[in-house]
Amino acid sequence: MIHQYKNNGFNIVLDVNSGAIHVVDDVVYDSIALYEDHSKEEIIDELSGKYSVEEIGEALEEIRQLAEDKVLFTEDDYRDYIIDFKKRPTVVKALCLHIAHDCNLACKYCFAEEGEYHGRRALMSYEVGKAALDFLIANSGSRRNLEVDFFGGEPTLNFQVVKDLVAYGREQEKIHDKNFRFTLTTNGVLLDDDIMEFANKEMANVVLSIDGRKEINDMMRPFRGGKGSYDLIVPKFQKLAESRNQMNYYVRGTFTRNNLDFSKDVLHLADLGFKQISVEPVVAQETDSYALREEDLPQLFEEYDNLAKEMVRRKKEGNDFNFFHFMIDLEGGPCVAKRLSGCGSGTEYLAVTPWGDFYPCHQFVGNEDFLMGNVFEGIKNTDIRDEFKSCNVYAKEKCRDCFAKFYCSGGCAANSYNFHGDIHNAYDVGCALQKKRIECAIMIKAAEALSEAE
Amino acid sequence: MKHVTTLNTRRLQNTVKKGGCGECQTSCQSACKTSCTVGNQTCEQTK
């Protein structure tokens, strides 16, 4: 299976099953499109108006060579492998701890409904958090690296518990030969020197929520009284980013129908000095006024294309930044097993509510149909776990023939559930955007590689 | 090759034998929690 496309002046051919990427000239590009279901004579006949017979002959020979080298037209031999892989016993390696179901902002698109997750306001106690870490260690088998995200609502509203849990984790990791990687997701309102110092010492990553331009951020991320949060958080985020040497953090925004020109928000964040940026499409119900619609896709594609072009330009100038959704690791990325087996929600990854209930991930918290158990008794509803365990690229009709399957791993189960009532489906607008982002990410790599070669 | 430049990529076929150790991050947890971006993850074995 191949995927070929043109972007920013490059002709790109992705051999999906091997992961090989070829930048080709026009004659090869056109020949590849015909190669599988046309004879050599037919291809020459069809293309001879555009190219010389000699050129077409050269192109076909190079294509034949690539196929022989197993970097073009390779077969998908992974299906049985992944099904067997997914049958392995489940271990848990990551928890999302909902430290506070409360928030000091009132963001309009919040899936947690101002932190309450369709429930009551609550803070996680140290005892619940400790039991969660004990559960994680006990259920992690031989996996050494364990991830714990301090999430909310807003976790800084309950920061002493965060500190105490980190101290407990550091003590326990020595005893059990584990390595905790803690992360913190915050809106920045309460961020102060004390929290920054602690985060820099203990957090492998911090996620700083901001949407971009002041008017965009303040429209969707106000305080309860309506006042915007931009002016308060920007200097604090800049300080924290610098204190982390511009690494191991993300400023993370959400774009909605209110800012379809979101590339301006990405560039605004870059112009504020941030080097690690993620601005992502909102996940909303179709009925929400700010939800992205299918009709918005052409504009959004153009935004991604323009952003990718601008990033190539800035990189040449030595003024580059990372955009999370364009980051792609071609030489050292994950193995096939990882790529095809899904995100791990409900199996390797669980969300824990302030009172200790387990859900498959933070997006399902509050939906009682997905309540899996709790930190004191463990996983009680194994049917839910098994349903998530069966979720992989080959279990999803829409993913099987999609070129993006090795890069998105079948997409987000929660998105699929929100739009189709089934975790084994896929959210179509999300898929379209994901595919576009992969194309842009590969184009950037191609531009970098060819620029280095020059 | 005259008409083709192939980028350096990890051949996915070659990851089948030794892959699947599971030490890598869960795929939705690195930057942002509502997007699956497995393609950019670093393999713990190649660090």
Side-chain angles (χ1 to χ4, degrees):
Chain A
M1 179 184 181
I2 59 155
H3 175 65
Q4 55 184 138
Y5 65 98
K6 295 176 185 246
N7 190 305
N8 197 19
F10 297 96
N11 297 338
I12 294 172
V13 179
L14 167 64
D15 183 55
V16 174
N17 296 315
S18 69
I21 294 162
H22 312 286
V23 183
V24 304
D25 64 7
D26 288 339
V27 61
V28 169
Y29 190 86
D30 290 343
S31 301
I32 282 177
L34 300 169
Y35 195 80
E36 279 189 300
D37 46 12
H38 291 75
S39 69
K40 185 177 174 184
E41 290 69 31
E42 285 170 338
I43 296 173
I44 291 172
D45 194 40
E46 189 149 339
L47 297 181
S48 57
K50 230 171 148 185
Y51 312 102
S52 72
V53 174
E54 191 193 348
E55 276 180 314
I56 300 168
E58 283 173 4
L60 293 176
E61 174 51 24
E62 293 193 9
I63 293 167
R64 190 199 60 75
Q65 186 65 49
L66 293 171
E68 192 179 301
D69 294 343
K70 295 199 176 0
V71 288
L72 197 62
F73 301 121
T74 51
E75 295 294 322
D76 181 346
D77 294 329
Y78 309 120
R79 187 189 169 94
D80 291 343
Y81 169 69
I82 294 304
I83 290 168
D84 285 347
F85 179 75
K86 294 284 284 189
K87 283 182 190 157
R88 288 188 194 180
T90 310
V91 298
V92 183
K93 63 183 188 186
L95 292 181
C96 177
L97 298 186
H98 292 224
I99 290 295
H101 272 192
D102 198 357
C103 193
N104 39 20
L105 288 182
C107 305
K108 291 177 185 163
Y109 45 56
C110 184
F111 63 88
E113 299 192 325
E114 298 175 20
E116 291 184 61
Y117 287 90
H118 323 285
R120 60 186 193 271
R121 292 182 191 280
L123 301 180
M124 182 179 283
S125 68
Y126 175 65
E127 286 67 33
V128 166
K130 184 169 165 292
L133 297 186
D134 289 339
F135 171 89
L136 177 57
I137 291 167
N139 288 277
S140 58
S142 60
R143 308 294 160 94
R144 190 165 177 275
N145 294 315
L146 304 179
E147 294 147 40
V148 174
D149 191 42
F150 295 108
F151 198 63
E154 174 51 40
T156 57
L157 289 171
N158 192 17
F159 206 65
Q160 190 55 47
V161 167
V162 173
K163 285 181 167 175
D164 293 344
L165 289 175
V166 168
Y168 181 70
R170 294 290 176 232
E171 174 196 303
Q172 292 296 307
E173 68 184 1
K174 291 191 194 86
I175 298 168
H176 300 280
D177 188 32
K178 300 290 180 185
N179 177 41
F180 276 112
R181 288 174 180 157
F182 294 111
T183 65
L184 176 71
T185 300
T186 180
N187 63 26
V189 171
L190 293 179
L191 201 56
D192 59 15
D193 288 349
D194 179 51
I195 294 175
M196 286 191 209
E197 194 183 321
F198 184 80
N200 289 346
K201 184 163 169 262
E202 298 290 0
M203 298 295 159
N205 195 16
V206 290
V207 179
L208 309 171
S209 303
I210 178 171
D211 282 351
R213 289 165 292 178
K214 179 176 160 69
E215 63 274 21
I216 297 299
N217 182 81
D218 287 352
M219 176 175 24
M220 293 306 272
R221 303 186 62 79
F223 287 92
R224 280 164 202 255
K227 188 168 174 268
S229 55
Y230 180 95
D231 290 338
L232 178 71
I233 60 175
V234 166
K236 298 202 254 190
F237 285 172
Q238 286 171 317
K239 185 175 174 185
L240 181 58
E242 277 303 313
S243 72
R244 292 175 78 83
N245 298 317
Q246 292 292 344
M247 287 187 296
N248 301 316
Y249 80 93
Y250 283 97
V251 284
R252 191 246 187 247
T254 299
F255 69 83
T256 70
R257 202 152 203 274
N258 295 328
N259 59 321
L260 293 174
D261 59 347
F262 69 92
S263 70
K264 292 197 178 77
D265 294 287
V266 177
L267 296 175
H268 177 78
L269 292 169
D271 292 339
L272 287 174
F274 295 111
K275 295 292 184 191
Q276 314 294 338
I277 301 170
S278 188
V279 176
E280 306 165 23
V282 70
V283 176
Q285 303 295 323
E286 273 174 314
T287 47
D288 292 326
S289 62
Y290 54 81
L292 302 171
R293 301 179 196 166
E294 202 163 341
E295 71 211 50
D296 301 329
L297 286 175
Q299 185 179 347
L300 295 174
F301 290 165
E302 204 180 319
E303 286 291 309
Y304 279 124
D305 281 337
N306 290 340
L307 178 61
K309 261 189 238 175
E310 176 64 11
M311 286 179 68
V312 170
R313 197 186 68 76
R314 288 192 184 201
K315 173 120 188 173
K316 278 186 186 158
E317 277 181 359
N319 183 28
D320 57 331
F321 62 91
N322 282 329
F323 180 62
F324 182 70
H325 277 161
F326 285 169
M327 289 165 67
I328 194 162
D329 188 348
L330 299 180
E331 293 174 54
C335 61
V336 164
K338 170 71 177 177
R339 286 172 187 267
L340 295 178
S341 57
C343 70
S345 60
T347 57
E348 297 177 337
Y349 171 87
L350 299 167
V352 185
T353 66
W355 45 96
D357 285 343
F358 284 131
Y359 285 88
C361 87
H362 55 287
Q363 289 274 356
F364 290 97
V365 165
N367 183 340
E368 295 295 318
D369 291 344
F370 288 92
L371 175 60
M372 297 178 73
N374 66 69
V375 293
F376 300 107
E377 298 174 298
I379 301 297
K380 307 300 269 181
N381 190 337
T382 51
D383 288 351
I384 297 174
R385 184 189 63 197
D386 293 344
E387 194 189 348
F388 276 81
K389 201 174 171 182
S390 74
C391 203
N392 67 69
V393 162
Y394 297 103
K396 297 183 170 202
E397 189 79 39
K398 285 179 187 164
C399 300
R400 279 178 216 157
D401 298 321
C402 176
F403 83 86
K405 63 188 172 189
F406 289 94
Y407 302 92
C408 88
S409 201
C412 171
N415 274 347
S416 169
Y417 182 79
N418 286 347
F419 280 81
H420 300 288
D422 177 9
I423 63 167
H424 291 89
N425 207 309
Y427 162 52
D428 303 278
V429 170
C431 288
L433 295 175
Q434 171 74 285
K435 285 189 254 189
K436 185 69 192 175
R437 291 194 296 261
I438 292 167
E439 289 186 349
C440 289
I442 291 173
M443 182 283 288
I444 291 173
K445 287 289 180 190
E448 284 172 8
L450 296 184
S451 153
E452 276 167 27
E454 281 166 15
Chain B
M1 287 195 176
K2 190 174 157 191
H3 302 269
V4 177
T5 306
T6 299
L7 305 188
N8 289 325
T9 57
R10 193 181 189 193
R11 293 282 175 270
L12 298 181
Q13 306 99 310
N14 300 344
T15 69
V16 168
K17 259 190 186 163
K18 287 187 177 172
C21 77
E23 284 294 344
C24 49
Q25 277 187 302
T26 47
S27 47
C28 189
Q29 217 183 359
S30 44
C32 30
K33 299 172 109 3
T34 53
S35 51
C36 263
T37 43
V38 71
N40 69 21
Q41 283 210 324
T42 306
C43 172
E44 294 283 335
Q45 308 297 328
T46 60
K47 262 189 179 174

